[in-house]
Amino acid sequence: MNNISISKQLFARAQESIPGGVNSPVRAFKSVGGTPLFIRRAKGAHLFDVDDNQYIDYIASWGPMILGHAYEPVVKAIQEYAAYSTSYGAPTELEIKMAELIRSMVPNVDLIRMVSSGTEACMSAIRVARGYTGRNKILKFEGCYHGHADSFLVKAGSGVATFNIQAVPGVTAGVSADTLTCAYNDLDAVKQLAAAHKGEIAAIIVEPVAGNMGCILPQPGFLEGIRQICDEDGIVFIFDEVMTGFRLSQGGAQQTLGINADLVTYGKVIGAGMPVGAFGGKKEIMQVVAPLGNVYQAGTLSGNPIAMIAGYTLLSELRNNPSLYHELDTKTAYLKDGLQNVLDNWGQPFVINHFGSMISIHFSEKPVTDFASAAAANNARFSSFFHAMLQHGVYLPPSAFESWFLNNALSYEDLDKTIEAARQSLAGL
Ligand SMILES: *Cc1c(COP(=O)(O)O)cnc(C)c1O
């Protein structure tokens, strides 16, 4: 067993001052059991905890560290800009450069507004869609997570699913009533809801590749069908690309899947590990945003210079070296093949879902295509697997309802070690 005595002490101390000892629920290891590791530092694909254990990292800060931790151009840029002051509350040229860079990478974004988190991006996008259409209802999918704004905490994925919270106290019935839900990949259900609520739905929001119930792929025709429904009934189609943006490709899921969204939200990779989110889209819709229009949305630290230079530096690297995506996808496919092989030899039921540099394992007999099938998997077995992998120096997301994120600092040696760790871990289950 790894010695994690300092993490244990810190976790006990943290719980005296912080709810559950963490500032975001999934970090607490509550669903897999055990003590969350407190991290001291990271470099490339490797995390080091406070007890000096080393791990190969498959969380990558839930996505942002796509080129690895402490990526030197980003660290240097932050250091340089921090010396000029960390915030002004007035516009900077950097914000224009960031917006221009994003527009040069991503389709269908005429105007874009920076915020400080994915939650803010999604809640703002919904307000814009409601303001633009004059309608109240939204439609989301079971197991998709769009941040913790009230409207989205209905059948949400990520921590809400991990902790099996059915109805979130504090979210009013009125708000919940305006959120329609149906199963991911169930186009017929979308059609029925759209028909039953004709002229009432402001927006359909979706994770174009879902990552908050494990990794779940959109089935052929699902997103295309929603696009058509939105066109027919004047519904704003929102791609929540907080995970997929700048990860699946420069242009995110819109580009990779060849489907156009009306509004798009970003987070995670866009800030290189700083608190950044963004929402953007067609001019016709985005021009309702204040001060151009009356849909109010604001932020004291929105477009913060340190956050902007971090994101700008990372996105520039991704834009200038498109082969990075090919490298990353090839590594992920290599990992998938290796895991598939050891799981086949192990002989118990499993499903690997994989898209680009997102991947997850469900201990399931049936294909995992939506929240119900993800929840029906043997998630106790996932917890055992998670802990065994940790003992072998591999840090996976501490929940079966989360995708793993690869970063391009992973070497083939790291991947081979991970595959061998999986073989040993499965043998001990
Ligand atoms: C993480 C996530 C969010 C929320 O972003 P935060 O920065 O945690 O507020 C929203 N949507 C998706 C798809 C996410 O994965």
Side-chain angles (χ1 to χ4, degrees):
M1 295 287 277
N2 292 331
N3 174 12
I4 56 162
S5 55
I6 302 177
S7 275
K8 283 186 173 160
Q9 283 169 30
L10 291 180
F11 189 44
R13 192 174 129 209
Q15 290 173 82
E16 298 294 317
S17 306
I18 304 171
V22 290
N23 280 313
S24 195
V26 175
R27 291 180 202 165
F29 280 23
K30 206 171 151 188
S31 77
V32 291
T35 306
L37 300 172
F38 282 68
I39 304 301
R40 177 173 287 144
R41 66 191 173 89
K43 180 70 194 166
H46 298 254
L47 292 174
F48 301 85
D49 70 12
V50 285
D51 292 282
D52 255 338
N53 300 300
Q54 182 177 335
Y55 304 91
I56 304 172
D57 180 20
Y58 287 94
I59 299 184
S61 183
W62 304 98
M65 300 301 153
I66 189 166
L67 298 183
H69 289 275
Y71 186 65
E72 236 152 75
V74 171
V75 172
K76 285 210 173 105
I78 291 172
Q79 285 171 336
E80 183 192 337
Y81 277 73
Y84 305 150
S85 179
T86 49
S87 181
Y88 313 106
T92 59
E93 185 183 358
L94 207 45
E95 293 161 82
I96 311 171
K97 286 171 72 178
M98 183 71 163
E100 288 171 347
L101 178 62
I102 294 167
R103 290 185 58 208
S104 76
M105 296 173 77
V106 166
N108 299 313
V109 171
D110 301 327
L111 293 173
I112 185 156
R113 171 64 61 83
M114 306 306 302
V115 292
S116 302
S117 69
T119 294
E120 253 190 283
C122 294
M123 74 177 206
S124 305
I126 288 292
R127 186 180 308 136
V128 167
R130 286 176 166 150
Y132 172 73
T133 59
R135 302 171 180 182
N136 290 337
K137 293 202 184 303
I138 62 165
L139 195 161
K140 75 175 281 291
F141 295 91
E142 258 172 71
C144 281
Y145 181 70
H146 306 293
H148 66 87
D150 289 358
S151 316
F152 301 125
L153 292 179
V154 180
K155 300 201 172 160
S158 189
V160 185
T162 300
F163 303 129
N164 195 21
I165 301 171
Q166 297 297 327
V168 177
V171 175
T172 66
V175 168
S176 300
D178 279 333
T179 302
L180 308 170
T181 62
C182 58
Y184 196 78
N185 277 324
D186 189 347
L187 185 59
D188 285 340
V190 181
K191 280 185 189 151
Q192 283 169 20
L193 279 173
H197 296 278
K198 199 158 179 56
E200 293 171 14
I201 302 175
I204 299 182
I205 184 167
V206 69
E207 290 180 59
V209 174
N212 284 296
M213 39 184 165
C215 173
I216 294 187
L217 278 57
Q219 283 171 0
F222 174 58
L223 297 171
E224 292 84 347
I226 301 175
R227 177 68 272 174
Q228 199 184 338
I229 292 166
C230 288
D231 288 340
E232 285 166 6
D233 194 25
I235 299 169
V236 176
F237 194 13
I238 305 175
F239 265 24
D240 178 352
E241 298 230 37
V242 172
M243 273 182 178
T244 53
F246 310 104
R247 172 160 286 278
L248 299 185
S249 63
Q250 277 196 32
Q254 283 196 92
Q255 181 183 43
T256 304
L257 302 172
I259 299 167
N260 298 329
D262 300 316
L263 287 179
V264 197
T265 60
Y266 297 102
K268 299 192 168 108
V269 175
I270 200 175
M274 297 295 283
V276 181
F279 63 99
K282 306 244 173 69
K283 186 169 182 190
E284 187 198 335
I285 302 175
M286 283 297 289
Q287 66 191 4
V288 305
V289 176
L292 200 52
N294 287 337
V295 175
Y296 198 73
Q297 189 283 328
T300 301
L301 295 178
S302 295
N304 170 272
I306 311 303
M308 289 300 99
I309 195 61
Y312 181 81
T313 305
L314 180 64
L315 296 190
S316 300
E317 298 274 322
L318 294 171
R319 180 169 191 267
N320 297 336
N321 302 300
S323 63
L324 291 171
Y325 288 105
H326 180 69
E327 284 172 36
L328 192 52
D329 291 359
T330 307
K331 286 177 187 176
T332 313
Y334 180 89
L335 177 69
K336 190 213 164 193
D337 289 346
L339 291 172
Q340 176 103 36
N341 190 29
V342 295
L343 281 154
D344 278 338
N345 289 332
W346 176 60
Q348 304 278 336
F350 73 92
V351 169
I352 302 183
N353 286 344
H354 157 229
F355 196 104
S357 54
M358 295 166 68
I359 183 169
S360 64
I361 295 177
H362 295 270
F363 294 103
S364 168
E365 288 169 30
K366 295 190 215 129
V368 176
T369 57
D370 58 11
F371 181 71
S373 46
N378 185 342
N379 293 327
R381 182 167 273 171
F382 179 87
S383 299
S384 310
F385 179 65
F386 165 82
H387 279 292
M389 290 294 274
L390 210 51
Q391 290 304 318
H392 287 99
V394 179
Y395 191 87
L396 302 177
S399 165
F401 295 112
E402 302 288 352
S403 176
W404 315 0
F405 297 102
L406 270 70
N407 71 79
N408 206 37
L410 285 160
S411 64
Y412 280 89
E413 194 192 339
D414 291 324
L415 299 175
D416 285 336
K417 276 190 194 161
T418 305
I419 294 162
E420 176 56 19
R423 195 185 64 75
Q424 293 182 23
S425 298
L426 291 166
L429 288 192

